[in-house]
Amino acid sequence: MTAAVLAARALVAGYGGRPVLDGVDIEVRPNEVLCLIGHNGAGKTTLLKVLFGLVPATSGELRLDGEPLARPTPARLAAAGIAYVPEGRGIFPGLTVDETLRMAAWAAGVPPQERAARLEWVHGVLPRLREFGPRRAGTLSGGEQQMVSIGRALLSRPRCLLMDEPSIGLAPKLFQDMLRPIRALQQSTGMSVLLVEQNVREALKISDRVLAMKSGAIIREAAPGELADNAKLMELY
Ligand code: ATP
């Protein structure tokens, strides 16, 4: 079997000595959308941050392509093709969308001669970003800003995208408008996506596998179809 792109075993992590993750096992496999759900404060964001090297693990093991990853840092993970879309968009409101994307191309180390083509490729995936180009990001709606944040992450052409609640504040239709192109890209390229979502109904429509988290641990793995019934879903909360 092909190794997981990113994996963690018995992961423990927290803040100021207080554990938040309490022995988490997770595998993000090639060519899948893995959806991570769970109540507020369950530790979903913390898990993404540990996987991207932003929060150190107290103990446990991280693996990248099956190889132990002793000292994960965002730079190391980004160089390995992992991209992170943080919760809350993380855009600079005063920069235009074009400026934001150009800066991201520079930050992702895209060689100057390839930047125009790379931007074109991102515009191909998320065509509305072309239309928003001259606008300051702060003048866009929440969903539009989220699209910029995703576009920025795509500039590195990641093979694994870690997304933290991209749907926050979005109506179901906007959620699908935003994430359907990512699902299509994932299916055509074999990319992996780890999607943290509270908007479970919409997220399940574009997921291959679901993990439910509670109080810092993974309590259940399911196929999206198994959670279609509301009662089943409620058992997890
Ligand atoms: P939500 O769905 O509300 O975003 P979550 O499942 O993503 O929640 P986390 O954000 O990982 O949960 O938070 C888990 C716990 O860790 C919470 O109790 C939170 O208060 C705490 N926590 C998160 N970040 C920090 C921090 N920087 N310092 C101290 N405690 C933190």
Side-chain angles (χ1 to χ4, degrees), residues 15 18 20 38-47 87 165 198:
Y15 306 94
R18 190 177 75 84
V20 170
H39 62 86
N40 287 318
K44 306 179 297 296
T45 295
T46 302
L47 176 54
E87 189 175 9
E165 294 201 40
Q198 296 274 13

Side-chain angles (χ1 to χ4, degrees), residues 71-168:
R71 273 177 294 281
T73 61
R76 173 110 196 260
L77 285 146
I82 317 294
Y84 173 61
V85 183
E87 189 175 9
R89 294 158 200 148
I91 52 127
F92 296 102
L95 292 188
T96 68
V97 172
D98 282 342
E99 286 165 346
T100 305
L101 294 178
R102 279 206 299 274
M103 197 172 76
W106 171 79
V110 180
Q113 65 277 16
E114 284 176 29
R115 283 183 199 156
R118 192 65 67 87
L119 221 83
E120 199 51 40
W121 178 78
V122 171
H123 283 154
V125 179
L126 297 169
R128 297 202 64 203
L129 290 183
R130 195 192 305 275
E131 169 196 330
F132 302 148
R135 285 179 59 185
R136 286 185 197 280
T139 68
L140 300 173
S141 74
E144 291 164 352
Q145 290 184 21
Q146 190 63 55
M147 213 179 269
V148 176
S149 184
I150 296 171
R152 193 178 55 179
L154 288 181
L155 267 168
S156 62
R157 280 237 262 224
R159 61 198 180 95
C160 177
L161 196 56
L162 309 175
M163 302 176 91
D164 199 353
E165 294 201 40
S167 86
I168 247 176

Side-chain angles (χ1 to χ4, degrees), residues 5-231:
V5 181
L6 257 183
R9 213 161 46 84
L11 201 63
V12 176
Y15 306 94
R18 190 177 75 84
V20 170
L21 302 182
D22 183 21
V24 169
D25 292 339
I26 187 170
E27 266 191 13
V28 187
R29 299 171 189 156
N31 195 14
E32 73 168 348
V33 175
L34 174 60
C35 184
L36 182 62
I37 63 174
H39 62 86
N40 287 318
K44 306 179 297 296
T45 295
T46 302
L47 176 54
L48 279 200
K49 286 183 174 173
V50 174
L51 290 175
F52 197 61
L54 287 164
V55 167
T58 315
S59 62
E61 189 188 52
L62 283 175
R63 284 180 175 259
L64 178 67
D65 298 318
E67 299 295 322
L69 184 63
R71 273 177 294 281
T73 61
R76 173 110 196 260
L77 285 146
I82 317 294
Y84 173 61
V85 183
E87 189 175 9
R89 294 158 200 148
I91 52 127
F92 296 102
L95 292 188
T96 68
V97 172
D98 282 342
E99 286 165 346
T100 305
L101 294 178
R102 279 206 299 274
M103 197 172 76
W106 171 79
V110 180
Q113 65 277 16
E114 284 176 29
R115 283 183 199 156
R118 192 65 67 87
L119 221 83
E120 199 51 40
W121 178 78
V122 171
H123 283 154
V125 179
L126 297 169
R128 297 202 64 203
L129 290 183
R130 195 192 305 275
E131 169 196 330
F132 302 148
R135 285 179 59 185
R136 286 185 197 280
T139 68
L140 300 173
S141 74
E144 291 164 352
Q145 290 184 21
Q146 190 63 55
M147 213 179 269
V148 176
S149 184
I150 296 171
R152 193 178 55 179
L154 288 181
L155 267 168
S156 62
R157 280 237 262 224
R159 61 198 180 95
C160 177
L161 196 56
L162 309 175
M163 302 176 91
D164 199 353
E165 294 201 40
S167 86
I168 247 176
L170 295 190
K173 163 129 188 8
L174 287 177
F175 177 101
Q176 292 299 337
D177 286 351
M178 191 176 63
L179 286 188
R180 213 178 288 115
I182 303 304
R183 175 61 155 169
L185 176 69
Q186 178 271 320
Q187 288 180 322
S188 67
T189 60
M191 179 171 83
S192 314
V193 178
L194 175 55
L195 175 65
V196 167
E197 261 306 334
Q198 296 274 13
N199 193 344
V200 178
R201 285 262 157 266
E202 296 305 316
L204 293 189
K205 292 181 189 166
I206 56 147
S207 299
D208 298 301
R209 206 155 60 90
V210 187
L211 294 178
M213 205 170 172
K214 192 170 195 171
S215 308
I218 305 288
I219 56 161
R220 167 106 193 255
E221 174 176 343
E226 293 175 63
L227 303 177
D229 169 0
N230 243 337

